[in-house]
Amino acid sequence: MAELDIDTRAAKLGIDWSQVNLDSIQLPPGENFGIESDDEGVYHNDQLEFDTGFGNIIVVDNLPVVPKTKFEKLENVLKKIYSQLGVIKEKGLWMPVDSNTGMTLGYCFIEFNTPQEAQNAKEKTHGYKLDKSHIFAVNMFDDFDRLMNVKEEWEAPQTKPYVPGENLQKWLTDEKARDQLVTRSGPDTEVFWNDARQKNTELVHKRPYWTESYVQWSPLGTYLVTLHKQGAAVWGGADTFTRLMRYQHNMVKLVDFSPGEKYLVTYHSQEPSNPRDASKVEIKVFDVRTGRMMRDFKGSADEFSIGGPGGVAGASWPVFRWAGGKDDKYFAKLSKNTISVYETETFGLIDKKSIKVDNVVDICWSPTDSILSLFVPEQGGGNQPAKVALVQIPSKVELRQKNLFSVSDCKMYWQSSGEYLAVKVDRYTKTKKSTYSGFELFRIKERDIPIEVLELDNKNDKIIAFAWEPKGHRFAVIHGDQPRPDVSFYTMKTTQHGGRVTKLGTLKAKQANALFWSPTGKYIILAGLKNFNGQLEFFNVDELETMATTEHFMATDIEWDPTGRYVATAVTSVHEMENGFTIWSFNGKLLYRNLKDHFFQLAWRPRPPSFLSPEKEEEIAKNLKKYSKKYELEDQDVSLLLSEQDREKRKALKEEWEKWVKQWKSLHEEEKLARQSLRDGEISDEEEEEDEAKEVKEVEFEDVIEVTEEVVQE
Amino acid sequence: MRPILMKGHERPLTFLRYNRDGDMLFSCAKDHTPTLWYADNGERHGTYRGHNGAVWCCDVSRDSSRLITGSADQTAKLWDVKTGTQLFSFKFSSPARSVDFSVGDKLAVITTDPFMARTSAIHVKRIADDPQDQDGESVLVLENPEGRKRINRAVWGPLNQTIVSGGEDAVLRIWDAETGKLLKETDKEVGHKQTITSLCKSADDSHFLTGSLDKTAKACLPFLLYLLFHNPPVLWDMRTLTLIKTYTSGVPVNAVSMSPLLDHVVIGGGQDASAVTTTDHRAGNFEAKFYDKILQEEIGGVKGHFGPINALAFNPDGRSFSSGGEDGYVRLHHFDSDYFNIKI
């Protein structure tokens, strides 16, 4: 009420405002004289929205048609079914009755408290068999309008004219055989060529606010996926990045590609309103090229994780793990006591059944074959041993298994070409107070899959990191105590020992806590991230020698380019300063730096695997001199050109500067008199001072004489 | 040569100033006593007692007879350099942040901070020849030049015709020193993006350098050339206020200086002082970094401070420089002969 209104009203009623003590007035409880407080208004608005929306009503069809006598019974049955799925509102179940016959009409409306419950009830009971002749058909009330408006006659969809697509792999045909990388800093997302010859980057595409959370390359590098409120989008193309497809998934949080990049999995989770409930998870699988949704999975987070103490907040990503190889045939999900393996032909479970494995906690696909490795921890207080098993898919045949005793934890590491599986086993010592680690090494490609046990020289060493050499037979382990652990290299194959694992060597006391093999093998970076402030050691494993020891101070991320020629190290925005990335050659030579504030992410564009056979690759490596000649010449030309350009640039800068200086000098000269008068006629200006400076130099000559005196003394 | 460590202040350093002859070095710190040192060997000569708050800035007259200091105790004081006696105290109603003598030492520009209801202000005071005649009257007062934002530095332009100021709003402004009219200001697009922390003129007033928290330094022209260092330092022309050069440092810049002898600029700064204890000592980057003024390339750095560098000054002969840090030390560096032969 406006103040003026109040005054006039008061005058009418004969009230003198000045006599009234407002604080002393007390309203009877519950009375508000028709004046709503502001919060009440908000409250009412909420209610209104609730009451008018039909989003929480479902329509259940195909009910039995019953006379009045049985009406109550049917109502009770329905209530029983639906109250399990959500809270039915008071008088929320309404079954219409034909007023002439007194018979029900065979359908009813049910109103739930929330639209989510209604949606859930619809999904759960659509197709529910009450008995043989009554199968429920459940729809949302809101959908009815849409369903009624479907045209009676079928219209053939129009065929769109074929538009030839762009060459999505044109980046691979770059003349200089460069690689691309994407970075996110501030609002900008940029794709660059890494032009190591020019010691700089060349921009390919830049777009501010390209993504709302992060970007990711597809595994073969064809697409770049961006995340948005409405869903995910993939970008690619011949020259610039154009949008190729969109995938609708509200508030998508995470995405994952199948290894052959045929399918895209998107993930969204919603925090529950009640903290005791598990969060809701929705996962969709799309066909990347057509954009069609192939399958979606909904449920509480419990159904997508094994519910360990770490899994409470949500499922661990990726929820669906794809079988290796480019076929994208199978993907598996781990949940409590079950492994669900789906196949992409039907997007259904293999044999329509999940695999039951009590207490399974971890699964891992071979990167090349459809073999699943799984780990089951000890049960019954040690009565039943822990187990690591290999299962062939789709036959579900157990290829090999090994029982392990007094195990506290296991971690599985596949070698990238699927030849070996290393299982790091943490065992309890006899007192059960501490653990020690060892390895079980499976040789997958050999007959009967032999298993070898490897223990470190010092059994009590903690294992800090483990990594297989890509495409190779070696692996590296960081073990020992911080802050100066040791690094050891082992090989699965030697000329002398054939099929025995052998130690190649140990490097003592290294400042390292992470291992980064070159994608081509042979070279490895021993990196000390986090507490070690970005120590980097470039190491050649063939020769067992250090190529370079250097540092990218505070580096948080390290990534090899897909060809193994260059390495990018980055300081991301977890640190406030020195954000940006540095490019190194494979042997640890610093090529260039690129500083960017608020640096979030860096990712090299992956390349599809090479078409060259291993034999051909070997031949090229042998005759490298012959092949490299051409490139060496090119390199030389470029470096000459560069130094020439550099000289020119410097010369131009110097000339420009001198031009300025001349200009200032003349102005300075002109103002000389003005300055003198400001200083009450004192002439001493810089010109005179220069003369003085010369005199000072003469004094320095005296010093030289002193030096000669010393010589005489000798 | 090994730097000379001058430990005379109990609080972080705020400003360093050499006299024209280069034999004396004045230092200001958050403790209340500006100190005079022998610029050659770093011996302490004396202190100037009288302030009751952090001293932010100082300037010394051309004949090295007068010192003016600006302090958080809301005064700017004139001192007799030789005896250390206070000659006069200008009283303000908010802290005095920066002071600068004009050519001829007849005027001084003093800036004051925004404080309580007060906005920032630029005051021009007449400095009398005889301290007996000195009064506190302002020749010119510019109220509210940058609103509620602090002005970190104001200096005279060529021939005392203009005043150049820079501060928290990251804009450099040139004012007419007679009328107080705003003549020019920098474009936000081109200039610094964050607080300008320091401003330093070249020996011939042709250009100046500014430093800022945005991790660059810039050089610009309004006498003719102003060099401006920002958190990257930047170089500007003094008469036209053109941006000439930008130097990128990667850390917030608190102090800048230009060599009078060679085409070198030096910038100092580092991580915010409040974050120092939480990270590795090397994370702070408490380094005085040298750049080639023309080519904008980094030449080298001088480490040593264990807190951000707050003040830098070149000796007018260009053969030594000193740096003052949050750690309370002044480090006096005499250049080795190698320095004069650097080629890039």
Side-chain angles (χ1 to χ4, degrees), chain A residues 532-604:
Chain A
F532 290 142
N533 285 325
Q535 294 287 336
L536 308 171
E537 181 164 346
F538 292 76
F539 196 78
N540 179 339
V541 183
D542 276 3
E543 312 290 332
L544 284 178
E545 65 178 13
T546 302
M547 297 185 292
T549 310
T550 155
E551 182 191 52
H552 181 185
F553 187 54
M554 301 205 293
T556 53
D557 295 17
I558 296 180
E559 202 176 329
W560 283 88
D561 89 332
T563 61
R565 294 177 294 174
Y566 306 105
V567 184
T569 59
V571 178
T572 56
S573 59
V574 290
H575 294 298
E576 241 175 75
M577 300 199 312
E578 313 219 7
N579 278 198
F581 64 91
T582 302
I583 303 288
W584 312 79
S585 68
F586 74 97
N587 55 2
K589 202 175 122 207
L590 186 132
L591 297 175
Y592 60 93
R593 290 171 181 277
N594 200 332
L595 291 177
K596 282 170 188 292
D597 260 359
H598 302 287
F599 191 78
F600 299 114
Q601 193 191 356
L602 174 144
W604 289 96

Side-chain angles (χ1 to χ4, degrees), chain A residues 408-451:
Chain A
S408 78
D409 196 15
C410 267
K411 268 237 156 70
M412 296 178 280
Y413 302 92
W414 281 89
Q415 187 249 5
S416 72
S417 41
E419 282 180 64
Y420 310 109
L421 168 70
V423 181
K424 188 189 98 180
V425 187
D426 296 341
R427 290 191 173 83
Y428 293 113
T429 51
K430 272 186 189 144
T431 55
K432 291 228 164 193
K433 272 181 188 151
S434 57
T435 60
Y436 65 96
S437 305
F439 291 97
E440 308 278 330
L441 301 163
F442 293 67
R443 293 169 189 271
I444 308 296
K445 297 280 157 89
E446 283 172 37
R447 225 176 63 123
D448 295 338
I449 311 185
I451 302 172

